[in-house]
Amino acid sequence: MLIMNWNETYEYYEKLNVKQAYYLSMEFLQGRALLNAVGNLELSGAYTEALKKLGHNLEDVATQEPDAALGNGGLGRLASCFLDSLATQNYPAWGYGLRYKYGLFKQHITKDGQEEVAENWLEMGNPWEIPRNDVSYPVKFYGKVVSGPDGNKQWIGGENVMAVAYDVPIPGYKTKTTVNLRLWSTKVAPEEFDLHAFNTGDHAKAYAAIKNAEKICYILYPGDESVEGKSLRLKQQYTLCSASLQDIIASFERRSREPVKWEEFPEKVAVQMNDTHPTLCIPELIRILLDAKGLSWKEAWDITRRTVAYTNHTVLPEALEKWSLQLIQELLPRHVEIIKLIDEELIHTIIAEYGTEDLDLLVQKLREMRILDNIELPDSVLEILSKSEESSAVDHIEEVDKEAKATDEEAQSEGLDTEKKKEVTFEPDPKLPKMVRMANLCVAGGHAVNGVAEIHSEIVKNEVFNDFYKLWPEKFQNKTNGVTPRRWIRFCNPDLSKIITKWTGTEDWVKDTEILVTLGKFADNEDLQSEWREAKRRNKIKVASFLKEKTGYLVNPDAMFDVQVKRIHEYKRQLLNILGIVYRYKKMKEMSPDERKARFVPRVCIFGGKAFATYVQAKRIVKFITDVGATVNNDQEIGDLLKVVFVPDYNVSVAEVLIPGSELSQHIRFLIRSISYKNCFNCPIACRSLSYQKLCLSQHCRNGGEWNQQYEVCNERVHTNWNFRRC
């Protein structure tokens, strides 16, 4: 049924020649496919009965399927939820990713903390994929760029691999629409096998090309502490971009009538980059249009900017992806030439916007906005600056505002935060590395930028890319990150689903979540409350049974389940959470048994998530959590008042058990990132920057206080109506 619907979907969209969305992501955290497939096809009842006749239970059969090891965190789950929603809402769309042989890793918890072993999800094969050996594309690395007699550039030599397609059907709910997730695996052509070396006994040399190609798709996020690791990650990203774009262009050409009208490409194709991992889509699309299709730079640049869009996932400046220019130059020499041209286009746009009269301002904008970081200006820009009356010494401009510096020092001695003016120069600093800022390339090379929540998108506009927002406000928008109610309520929480259907009077809420608003009028209904509590308790009993099976710990299902499950990282603040638990435990130990029972609600604190294999501090946090659990859980004096459990190998299937039984879901990141950020005087948390502080104080002081620009404070410090979402 899936394959029939799949074929019909794309025959229909090919016939209509509609615009198609292509979603590129390094991760797709799919989870198991069986229950999702039979549920979306409305076959759950029939499938359950058929299995019973064979002596099997659907739930037991479903647990035999391993999770697809194609993702790790929220980025991958967002991608998978999008594919489900695209299919359910009948959008013509494809997903593109990599087919990782070993995924990230399988996590074991030992007395030493986290232990990583290779994931074996493909050991028995994957029944949900269709190998497409007829669909493959060449992907090139290294080599050199040469100019032809007509001036066109060609990238020759180097290392060649083949990207081979594997297709996975993604069904929509109550619709025949079934979209495609195309995953790329890598290999080399048979002629790359060195038969002579093999026959002479040099087997390592004979297999070298094969292993170099295959390892590209071995591991999700290989360790990048070494140059080899960084190179492998960049190879992964380029493989995804190059193979996907070649496939997209082949589809466009197939659907087009001769001659192909490339100016119509953005009207038929939308390429969405999930975070900065697929950034190389931008120079790769330009390279194909320039070198393979013969378009001019102006045409290729215009088509690319109208085709590509970017989803931002982080507001932390240091987490925005950067790559060494030297590494990209070595691996992708043609793309460096194109990136330099894009950077030059961007610089000219900045100069056109801000002029050359105020060099301090111009240097500031270039430092923040350029794609190439700490790299000399192009000749065309130096020529413009040399003609300016203000730029007679462009190569050696350095200015330090001593008065401002003295003011800063004085203000700091008084406990006030200030923004320092730094030395400015157009020359690169030889002590600093030359880098390519991928996020800046995404913003400059695409037509749209979105965050994944309203407050996130506001921070993106007002902080992370504020200079770009001032330049191109029309590019910035919001797409709130949602999750599919099919998998996350309808299928993994059937008890709650039945209650919702009963009280809303329809099952249409599974596709139209606006219907859930109708539950509000029954909020005080005791029957609904009783049913809701009973459904929650049944889910908690399942969680307790699951924890016993996975960890050996017995927990009380009548205790409050306090859950924090996500990738282990310092900024996600699992350490803050466990330190809070240690503090709670310490206070409990200081009290008498009667005081403890009167003061504390019984609580089970559940953690889950993987720490990156080379992230030492995150792995220490995992060990700390498990050590605290070993102490607290064996303290008979505390008993069921407090338990701490770390669930190993957290994935979608584990989440489908834990989330229906959770009562407190901990999302505690980004509250106060650093003491260096400005503090609103009466705001209970720190604003992330001076601009947000001003926004809080100027817009939300309600007692007549006035903003004092000189001291950057509000004269009236008694504020009663803070807008916490702004802080």
Side-chain angles (χ1 to χ4, degrees):
M1 287 183 69
L2 277 179
I3 291 173
M4 288 169 61
N5 290 346
W6 203 9
N7 290 336
E8 289 177 15
T9 297
Y10 284 99
E11 286 174 7
Y12 178 70
Y13 289 137
E14 286 264 331
K15 183 179 178 181
L16 292 181
N17 192 19
V18 294
K19 184 173 185 176
Q20 298 215 24
Y22 299 98
Y23 195 82
L24 273 64
S25 177
M26 287 293 286
E27 294 187 43
F28 286 92
L29 196 58
Q30 293 290 99
R32 293 167 175 160
L34 177 60
L35 291 180
N36 190 66
V38 297
N40 277 0
L41 291 170
E42 299 182 88
L43 294 175
S44 297
Y47 204 90
T48 301
E49 289 303 313
L51 281 175
K52 282 183 179 178
K53 291 177 181 177
L54 296 172
H56 296 289
N57 176 280
L58 174 57
E59 203 168 280
D60 293 337
V61 170
T63 61
Q64 301 303 305
E65 179 187 359
D67 276 38
L70 300 172
N72 177 48
L75 181 111
R77 189 54 233 171
L78 167 68
S80 295
C81 282
F82 266 145
L83 292 188
D84 179 279
S85 290
L86 285 164
T88 298
Q89 298 186 72
N90 301 309
Y91 280 99
W94 289 56
Y96 280 107
L98 296 181
R99 182 179 180 267
Y100 303 107
K101 186 174 182 179
Y102 301 115
L104 187 70
F105 57 80
K106 186 181 285 291
Q107 181 193 51
H108 293 166
I109 300 299
T110 69
K111 62 181 178 62
D112 297 318
Q114 173 180 295
E115 179 182 302
E116 306 90 20
V117 297
E119 181 65 72
N120 61 349
W121 76 288
L122 288 174
E123 187 175 29
M124 302 295 290
N126 179 12
W128 300 102
E129 69 183 14
I130 308 286
R132 294 295 306 273
N133 293 307
D134 59 318
V135 179
S136 63
Y137 299 96
V139 179
K140 183 186 294 294
F141 305 105
Y142 306 108
K144 61 182 179 179
V145 180
V146 297
S147 296
D150 55 358
N152 288 339
K153 299 290 185 73
Q154 290 298 321
W155 182 16
I156 63 172
E159 178 183 304
N160 296 287
V161 305
M162 297 297 295
V164 182
Y166 287 75
D167 288 350
V168 179
I170 308 296
Y173 179 71
K174 289 189 175 183
T175 176
K176 284 191 174 184
T177 300
T178 303
V179 305
N180 190 35
L181 171 58
R182 177 157 285 178
L183 304 172
W184 301 108
S185 187
T186 44
K187 66 177 187 178
V188 294
E191 55 266 25
E192 297 288 336
F193 179 70
D194 193 335
L195 187 60
H196 176 74
F198 189 85
N199 285 332
T200 57
D202 193 349
H203 298 162
K205 181 181 178 183
Y207 278 116
I210 295 174
K211 292 302 178 186
N212 280 337
E214 290 180 347
K215 72 181 182 181
I216 292 173
C217 293
Y218 273 175
I219 300 292
L220 169 64
Y221 303 139
D224 60 354
E225 300 297 313
S226 64
V227 174
E228 292 79 7
K230 289 182 173 66
S231 177
L232 185 56
R233 277 208 190 189
L234 194 57
K235 280 186 172 183
Q236 287 186 333
Q237 295 186 6
Y238 180 61
T239 298
L240 170 63
C241 295
S242 181
S244 302
L245 281 171
Q246 289 181 72
D247 197 43
I248 291 166
I249 288 171
S251 173
F252 172 74
E253 290 178 317
R254 186 178 64 249
R255 291 185 290 141
S256 300
R257 296 177 180 176
E258 295 290 345
V260 176
K261 296 179 180 178
W262 288 104
E263 66 274 12
E264 294 180 357
F265 190 78
E267 275 71 60
K268 295 297 181 183
V269 171
V271 175
Q272 188 72 32
M273 302 181 296
N274 192 24
D275 211 3
T276 52
H277 305 127
T279 303
L280 290 169
C281 279
I282 294 168
E284 175 66 1
L285 180 54
I286 292 174
R287 183 192 70 82
I288 294 172
L289 295 175
L290 283 177
D291 299 352
K293 306 303 176 183
L295 273 64
S296 68
W297 166 260
K298 184 178 180 181
E299 291 171 322
W301 177 228
D302 178 65
I303 289 169
T304 300
R305 284 191 299 170
R306 291 164 53 210
T307 301
V308 176
Y310 160 54
T311 297
N312 173 270
H313 279 268
T314 180
V315 299
L316 300 180
E318 63 269 29
L320 295 175
E321 196 174 19
K322 294 181 181 180
W323 285 101
S324 161
L325 179 67
Q326 181 181 349
L327 177 61
I328 301 181
Q329 177 72 60
E330 180 184 350
L331 200 67
L332 305 168
R334 179 61 175 134
H335 295 75
V336 168
E337 293 183 348
I338 294 170
I339 290 170
K340 286 181 177 179
L341 290 174
I342 298 172
D343 185 59
E344 189 172 347
E345 290 273 359
L346 176 60
I347 293 171
H348 282 290
T349 303
I350 295 169
I351 291 175
E353 178 72 16
Y354 294 102
T356 58
E357 293 182 2
D358 187 342
L359 281 179
D360 283 354
L361 176 63
L362 182 58
V363 170
Q364 177 194 343
K365 296 300 179 183
L366 292 179
R367 283 182 173 172
E368 291 294 324
M369 301 175 71
R370 280 193 69 183
I371 296 161
L372 300 176
D373 185 22
N374 198 41
I375 295 170
E376 58 278 352
L377 291 172
D379 291 341
S380 64
V381 176
L382 291 174
E383 186 178 343
I384 292 173
L385 294 173
S386 67
K387 293 178 181 178
S388 170
E389 293 180 358
E390 301 287 336
S391 57
S392 58
V394 164
D395 294 331
H396 300 285
I397 291 176
E398 292 184 359
E399 182 178 339
V400 180
D401 190 334
K402 295 180 180 179
E403 182 179 347
K405 185 176 180 181
T407 303
D408 285 349
E409 291 173 353
E410 182 181 346
Q412 284 183 349
S413 68
E414 295 175 5
L416 293 175
D417 288 316
T418 61
E419 293 182 334
K420 293 182 179 180
K421 289 192 70 176
K422 299 180 180 179
E423 293 183 5
V424 294
T425 177
F426 282 111
E427 286 189 334
D429 186 339
K431 297 178 182 179
L432 297 176
K434 296 182 177 183
M435 306 295 288
V436 180
R437 296 189 280 204
M438 308 304 271
N440 288 21
L441 178 53
C442 287
V443 178
H447 67 88
V449 179
N450 72 278
V452 293
E454 184 181 358
I455 188 170
H456 175 198
S457 298
E458 289 300 307
I459 294 173
V460 165
K461 290 192 297 186
N462 296 319
E463 297 248 0
V464 184
F465 298 123
N466 183 247
D467 289 317
F468 287 104
Y469 175 63
K470 291 175 181 175
L471 187 61
W472 296 307
E474 71 282 355
K475 282 191 180 187
F476 290 81
Q477 51 182 257
N478 176 60
K479 296 289 180 288
T480 297
N481 180 1
V483 296
T484 164
R486 272 75 64 186
R487 181 181 285 271
W488 293 108
I489 304 180
R490 179 67 179 82
F491 302 148
C492 79
N493 199 342
D495 288 342
L496 180 60
S497 298
K498 291 173 184 175
I499 294 169
I500 294 173
T501 298
K502 172 185 173 181
W503 288 87
T504 60
T506 178
E507 203 175 48
D508 291 346
W509 62 269
V510 181
K511 287 183 69 174
D512 181 6
T513 51
E514 297 287 341
I515 293 172
L516 296 175
V517 173
T518 61
L519 288 172
K521 60 185 179 184
F522 304 115
D524 297 325
N525 188 291
E526 292 184 3
D527 291 336
L528 172 59
Q529 292 175 0
S530 176
E531 292 175 20
W532 201 281
R533 281 195 298 269
E534 185 56 35
K536 175 64 73 174
R537 193 175 191 282
R538 285 195 293 269
N539 287 327
K540 292 176 68 178
I541 290 171
K542 290 179 183 177
V543 172
S545 176
F546 177 80
L547 295 180
K548 177 66 170 65
E549 176 190 348
K550 295 295 182 182
T551 69
Y553 288 127
L554 284 170
V555 301
N556 179 9
D558 292 321
M560 179 174 72
F561 283 10
D562 176 347
V563 179
Q564 187 180 20
V565 283
K566 57 182 66 186
R567 180 165 55 94
I568 308 296
H569 196 291
E570 288 172 280
Y571 89 87
K572 293 183 183 292
R573 303 170 73 79
Q574 288 94 346
L575 181 59
L576 176 70
N577 193 0
I578 191 63
L579 287 174
I581 292 167
V582 170
Y583 180 80
R584 185 180 297 119
Y585 175 66
K586 179 176 178 293
K587 288 299 178 184
M588 285 180 172
K589 294 292 286 182
E590 293 171 355
M591 296 178 182
S592 68
D594 290 340
E595 285 178 318
R596 280 195 292 269
K597 288 184 179 179
R599 182 84 179 270
F600 291 98
V601 172
R603 182 187 300 242
V604 178
C605 300
I606 302 170
F607 291 85
K610 296 178 180 180
F612 189 59
T614 59
Y615 192 168
V616 175
Q617 186 68 352
K619 293 176 74 170
R620 291 177 66 198
I621 292 170
V622 173
K623 176 164 171 51
F624 183 40
I625 293 169
T626 57
D627 287 349
V628 170
T631 300
V632 172
N633 299 343
N634 291 299
D635 190 330
Q636 296 182 358
E637 186 180 8
I638 299 300
D640 285 342
L641 269 183
L642 184 62
K643 298 289 184 185
V644 179
V645 183
F646 191 97
V647 183
D649 207 36
Y650 178 66
N651 56 24
V652 173
S653 296
V654 174
E656 288 172 338
V657 176
L658 295 182
I659 290 172
S662 70
E663 288 163 304
L664 176 59
S665 183
Q666 296 273 17
H667 295 282
I668 53 177
R669 52 193 178 142
F670 289 140
L671 291 183
I672 306 174
R673 185 173 159 263
S674 166
I675 195 68
S676 66
Y677 287 135
K678 312 296 184 275
N679 292 299
C680 293
F681 281 95
N682 271 35
C683 192
I685 56 179
C687 288
R688 294 195 72 256
S689 79
L690 182 60
S691 62
Y692 265 70
Q693 182 191 17
K694 288 180 179 178
L695 191 61
C696 280
L697 293 172
S698 62
Q699 291 190 5
H700 303 292
C701 296
R702 296 292 187 241
N703 292 331
E706 295 181 356
W707 179 257
N708 186 319
Q709 293 285 357
Q710 181 180 357
Y711 294 106
E712 297 175 347
V713 299
C714 184
N715 291 333
E716 172 55 70
R717 297 190 182 183
V718 183
H719 313 306
T720 58
N721 190 11
W722 290 93
N723 183 335
F724 296 114
R725 292 174 61 236
R726 292 288 187 189
C727 288

